[in-house]
Amino acid sequence: MSNSQGSTLQDKEMDLYPSRQHMEPRIIKRQDPVVHSEWTPDAVLSKEQSDFYERNGYLFIEGFFDGQELSHYQKEARELQVTARSSEDEEVIREPSGSEVRSIFAVHKSNPVFQNLSRHPRLLAIVEYLLGGQTYIHQSRINYKPGFTGKEFYWHSDFETWHVEDGMPRMRALSCSIALEDNYHFNGPLMVVPGSHKEFVSCIGKTPDNHFKDSLRKQEYGVPDHDSLTRMVEKSGIDTPVGKAGSVILFDCNIMHGSNSNITPMPRSNIFIVYNSVENKVIQPYSGQKPRPEYIATRNAL
Ligand code: 6CS
Ligand code: FE
């Protein structure tokens, strides 16, 4: 493909995954690997784990953190929650109706404890294996999902948003969710559609300006149409990987996922860290709109 100057467009600049551009939803086949390394016997994941991630788009690891290390993260997150209640910082996102703290963004930058956690060698080794080399953090946050009032996250592919709104060219990123509380099937845990990471659902609707101001509280654009989601769930079902505090879920940037609200008394807080390959740094948003702020999507990495 050529641009107006007649020079060849780089792969990176071509929109391989157009979304929010057409009147009808469509399915685009994934054009990128899922596991970006060759498995060898000395790999940090077993062959079964690596194959499971490739096939299903996620991997659940029970008891990844425990003991004092875990208590340290839990205590720090609770303290941040208390401070955030009376904070005016833009990094603090509130529930859609009400003022409870929903998320705190960029904790890997603002907080030394979570900065250390984001560089945890055992975790990074797995991330680097899956993404095939050096990475940087595209986004981090604590999601609180408090008891009684925590609201849902509607179905979405993270990559759809990161591509359209942040300019992430390819599928070479993943999220790591670290449970700070025990996750049950009833307190609004992560739900994933296994295998959905191999198809990109191109969504309808044009992104409103400054969409992030609403979408982080309640996402309404960049969500799949009912028919596509129904087809995906009929084909593969829904998994809810749950376990004790300290468990970790790694999930591919394009897996279809969401979570229900939490009307139980048990909060369900977790830390999300999004790693992206240094070979997949963001360019201008594919929507042609203004990029989102640095605390939501890193543009000045390393
Ligand atoms: O905006 C983001 O980057 C993330 N948050 C939401 C609610 N949807 C897309 C993505 O996971
Ligand atoms: Fe998400």
Side-chain angles (χ1 to χ4, degrees):
M1 199 202 267
S2 293
N3 65 15
S4 51
Q5 283 88 46
S7 58
T8 308
L9 276 182
Q10 299 271 313
D11 227 21
K12 263 186 127 175
E13 289 153 6
M14 283 201 279
D15 192 349
L16 294 173
Y17 302 106
S19 187
R20 306 186 210 174
Q21 292 182 17
H22 301 287
M23 302 293 283
E24 294 296 323
R26 57 184 77 174
I27 303 288
I28 299 169
K29 200 168 164 295
R30 184 185 182 110
Q31 323 231 358
D32 296 297
V34 179
V35 177
H36 295 259
S37 299
E38 205 59 61
W39 186 85
T40 58
D42 57 2
V44 286
L45 293 181
S46 68
K47 180 89 171 69
E48 289 67 34
Q49 286 175 312
S50 182
D51 289 351
F52 186 95
Y53 184 90
E54 203 286 329
R55 195 169 58 250
N56 295 292
Y58 77 96
L59 183 68
F60 178 73
I61 310 177
E62 180 83 65
F64 195 89
F65 296 109
D66 58 15
Q68 276 191 355
E69 189 178 19
L70 174 62
S71 327
H72 189 44
Y73 300 145
Q74 290 171 316
K75 184 165 166 284
E76 195 69 18
R78 275 184 216 124
E79 283 173 14
L80 281 184
Q81 185 181 24
V82 173
T83 321
R85 280 191 186 127
S86 53
S87 162
E88 305 261 298
D89 291 352
E90 52 190 5
E91 287 85 350
V92 176
I93 310 294
R94 300 189 185 268
E95 291 290 357
S97 50
S99 57
E100 276 269 37
V101 177
R102 178 173 171 89
S103 311
I104 306 175
F105 274 78
V107 288
H108 74 289
K109 285 185 194 154
S110 59
N111 182 283
V113 172
F114 295 123
Q115 179 164 75
N116 272 336
L117 169 59
S118 72
R119 296 172 179 166
H120 201 285
R122 213 156 34 93
L123 189 60
L124 266 194
I126 300 177
V127 170
E128 287 174 2
Y129 166 74
L130 291 172
L131 297 181
Q134 208 193 333
T135 63
Y136 71 97
I137 295 173
H138 176 66
Q139 181 187 90
S140 77
R141 56 163 112 174
I142 304 177
N143 281 350
Y144 284 100
K145 190 141 325 168
F148 303 111
T149 55
K151 292 289 176 295
E152 76 274 8
F153 285 82
Y154 190 72
W155 293 104
H156 63 278
S157 144
D158 295 325
F159 177 77
E160 197 277 344
T161 295
W162 300 337
H163 185 70
V164 173
E165 298 192 24
D166 301 338
M168 184 182 285
R170 309 289 294 239
M171 295 181 183
R172 196 169 174 181
L174 61 76
S175 291
C176 169
S177 168
I178 301 157
L180 291 174
E181 313 276 351
D182 297 346
N183 276 233
Y184 303 98
H185 288 108
F186 47 72
N187 66 342
L190 182 72
M191 305 189 285
V192 297
V193 181
S196 58
H197 61 307
K198 298 205 176 173
E199 289 181 334
F200 178 76
V201 181
S202 175
C203 304
I204 56 168
K206 185 178 170 329
T207 321
D209 285 340
N210 291 319
H211 179 225
F212 67 94
K213 294 201 169 149
D214 298 318
S215 69
L216 302 177
R217 306 177 86 185
K218 187 169 193 280
Q219 186 176 358
E220 289 175 344
Y221 292 86
V223 295
D225 60 290
H226 289 184
D227 285 350
S228 302
L229 188 65
T230 303
R231 233 177 315 105
M232 283 174 153
V233 171
E234 276 174 359
K235 187 169 147 205
S236 322
I238 295 173
D239 287 354
T240 48
V242 292
K244 294 236 161 290
S247 61
V248 163
I249 308 172
L250 297 146
F251 58 101
D252 179 78
C253 58
N254 187 46
I255 196 168
M256 195 56 77
H257 64 285
S259 64
N260 283 318
S261 69
N262 182 17
I263 59 170
T264 75
M266 290 93 128
R268 183 228 160 219
S269 53
N270 56 5
I271 305 170
F272 273 96
I273 308 170
V274 178
Y275 297 90
N276 187 27
S277 165
V278 293
E279 286 165 53
N280 192 37
K281 284 193 184 150
V282 297
I283 56 174
Q284 284 311 300
Y286 287 84
S287 64
Q289 286 162 307
K290 198 169 92 202
R292 299 195 294 177
E294 188 74 21
Y295 68 88
I296 303 176
T298 306
R299 309 193 76 80
N300 303 316
L302 308 177

